[in-house]
């Protein structure tokens, strides 16, 4: 105790010496600290400040900045707080699958632009982005709430926020319902009832139909492709002109694109899906030959569907040749996987699908 008092006395003398040196900033910066040190008689507080440098770095002087300014910092605690905040944000980004929405929401806005005669009101686009993001966020969160026990059995999903326990199921459920209701109300009040209704159908099919079917039939991917393509119809309806055949073509393109895309994912993680008891097509197809044939059929149908905008007069020839080139390339990647069903070739197909869709939408926009 006497040693500590001596250290405290030396520190106070040092501070008083600098206060008396005539520096203008000295009293402003050091007086509160000096008063606190003089008045504090709590041994545990003093011990925490001076005897735990790993948590508290005590009084630090910065000679290269303002003269004799001091700072009581908790470097390790601040670092931990930043990590917790970062983890919290990342968990909810993962729960809401916001990276997927980075593609679906711009695609919906593109459809809104097309539906309104290639004119776009920024207020409409903003309301669409907010409402659709809320609805998609709710769908993703509630989907993971339903599948939390299955996700625990899969290596790919075991570290997600819900199975890992970083976010409670009850919290996710409340957030999911709140954002879903808020998104539907936003689309209804800010845009129109058709847009809100399509958003509700999207959420209902994804959470209450597609998700339970994963444990029932291998056709769940076909069913899940319907809500996966509905954001385009939500975007089209946001313009306020209803739905037409062009909207149906865009819906068909996105619907068909998802099937080879998810066949590739299901093949790569087929053991994980089988472990969780999910009936994905590759899980029931040990050789992968049937899955590859299905992927080829869907990719060929997609190629034909992608040409319809030009055939029916909605797009020019530039789009036609771009769609034809992209479609042939995508079909080639599916056939490449079919010739030799390996994880490496499935990943090539997966990346090809991720490149194909944005480029096709870009070509449609430029046309």
């Amino acid at each position: 105790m006497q040693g500590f008092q001596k250290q405290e006395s030396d520190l106070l003398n040092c501070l008083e010496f600098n206060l008396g040196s005539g520096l203008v900033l000295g009293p402003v910066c050091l007086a509160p600290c000096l008063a606190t040190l003089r008045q504090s008689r709590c041994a545990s507080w003093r011990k925490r400040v001076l005897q735990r440098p790993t948590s508290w770095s005590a009084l630090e002087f910065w000679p290269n900045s303002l003269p004799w300014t001091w700072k009581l910092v908790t470097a390790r605690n601040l670092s931990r707080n930043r990590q917790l905040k970062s983890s919290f944000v990342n968990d909810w980004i993962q729960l809401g699958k916001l990276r997927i929405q980075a593609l679906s929401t711009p695609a919906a806005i593109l459809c809104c632009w097309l539906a309104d005669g290639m004119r776009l009101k920024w207020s409409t686009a903003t309301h669409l982005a907010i409402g659709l993001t809320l609805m998609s966020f709710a769908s993703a969160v509630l989907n993971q709430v339903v599948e939390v026990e299955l996700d625990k059995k899969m290596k790919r999903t075991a570290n997600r926020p819900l199975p890992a326990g970083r976010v409670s199921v009850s919290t996710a459920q409340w957030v999911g319902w709140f954002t879903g209701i808020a998104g539907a109300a936003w689309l209804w009040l800010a845009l129109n009832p058709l847009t809100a209704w399509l958003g509700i159908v999207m959420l209902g099919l994804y959470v209450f139909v597609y998700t339970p079917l994963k444990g029932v039939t291998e056709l769940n991917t076909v069913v899940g492709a319907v809500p996966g393509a509905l954001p385009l119809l939500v975007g089209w309806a946001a313009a306020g002109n209803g739905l037409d055949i062009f909207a149906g073509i865009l819906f068909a393109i996105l619907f068909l694109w998802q099937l080879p895309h998810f066949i590739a994912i299901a093949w790569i993680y087929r053991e994980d899906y089988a472990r969780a008891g999910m009936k994905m097509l590759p899980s029931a197809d040990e050789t992968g030959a049937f899955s590859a044939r299905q992927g080829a059929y869907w990719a060929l149908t997609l190629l034909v569907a992608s040409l319809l905008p030009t055939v029916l007069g909605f797009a020019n020839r530039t789009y036609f040749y771009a769609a034809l080139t992209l479609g042939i390339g995508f079909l080639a990647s599916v056939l490449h996987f079919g010739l030799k069903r390996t994880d490496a070739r499935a990943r090539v197909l997966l990346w090809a699908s991720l490149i194909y869709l944005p480029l096709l939408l870009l070509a449609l926009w430029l046309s």
Side-chain angles (χ1 to χ4, degrees), residues 40-269:
S40 175
R41 300 303 178 188
C42 177
S44 62
W45 182 89
R46 291 195 295 264
K47 181 178 180 180
R48 187 164 65 250
V49 173
L50 294 179
Q51 296 184 6
R52 292 183 58 184
T54 56
S55 295
W56 298 80
S57 61
L59 293 174
E60 295 182 352
F61 294 91
W62 303 91
N64 295 327
S65 60
L66 294 177
W68 299 106
T69 56
W70 67 276
K71 191 176 183 183
L72 189 63
V73 295
T74 57
R76 190 175 68 180
N77 293 345
L78 289 175
S79 177
R80 185 183 298 126
N81 288 339
R82 292 192 192 99
Q83 291 175 0
L84 289 174
K85 290 178 181 178
S86 176
S87 175
F88 175 83
V89 173
N90 289 334
D91 283 344
W92 284 103
I93 288 175
Q94 190 174 6
L95 273 172
K97 298 182 179 179
L98 295 182
R99 294 182 179 90
I100 297 177
Q101 295 184 44
L103 176 61
S104 63
T105 300
I109 294 175
L110 172 64
C111 289
C112 181
W113 175 73
L114 292 171
D116 202 20
M118 291 179 290
R119 298 184 302 270
L120 184 64
K121 297 177 181 177
W122 288 110
S123 59
T124 302
T126 302
H127 290 310
L128 172 61
I130 294 173
L132 180 59
T133 298
L134 288 172
M135 295 295 293
S136 300
F137 184 91
S139 300
V141 171
L142 293 174
N143 164 261
Q144 292 179 68
V145 168
V146 175
E147 291 185 335
V148 61
E149 295 301 324
L150 296 178
D151 285 345
K152 291 179 180 179
K153 301 176 182 179
M154 299 173 61
K155 293 180 181 179
R156 183 173 69 95
T157 58
N159 196 40
R160 284 180 177 177
L162 291 183
R166 295 192 302 273
V167 177
S168 69
V169 174
S170 60
T171 299
Q173 191 170 10
W174 278 105
V175 170
W177 282 115
F178 175 79
T179 52
I181 294 171
W186 194 290
L187 293 175
W188 185 294
L189 298 175
L191 295 173
N192 55 71
L194 177 59
T195 306
W197 180 79
L198 289 169
I200 294 171
V201 171
M202 177 186 72
L203 186 150
L205 286 177
Y206 189 75
V207 177
F208 302 111
V209 180
Y210 163 64
T211 300
L213 282 178
K214 288 183 179 181
V216 177
T217 174
E218 289 82 4
L219 295 177
N220 64 79
T221 303
V222 179
V223 176
V226 175
L230 276 174
L232 298 189
L233 295 187
V234 173
W236 193 278
N241 300 321
L243 301 176
D244 59 20
I245 188 171
F246 193 14
I249 292 172
L250 294 175
F251 173 84
I253 289 173
L254 186 54
F255 171 85
L256 294 167
W257 167 83
Q258 292 177 80
L259 298 169
H261 172 78
F262 283 112
I263 284 176
I265 294 176
W267 177 262
I268 294 170
Y269 299 105

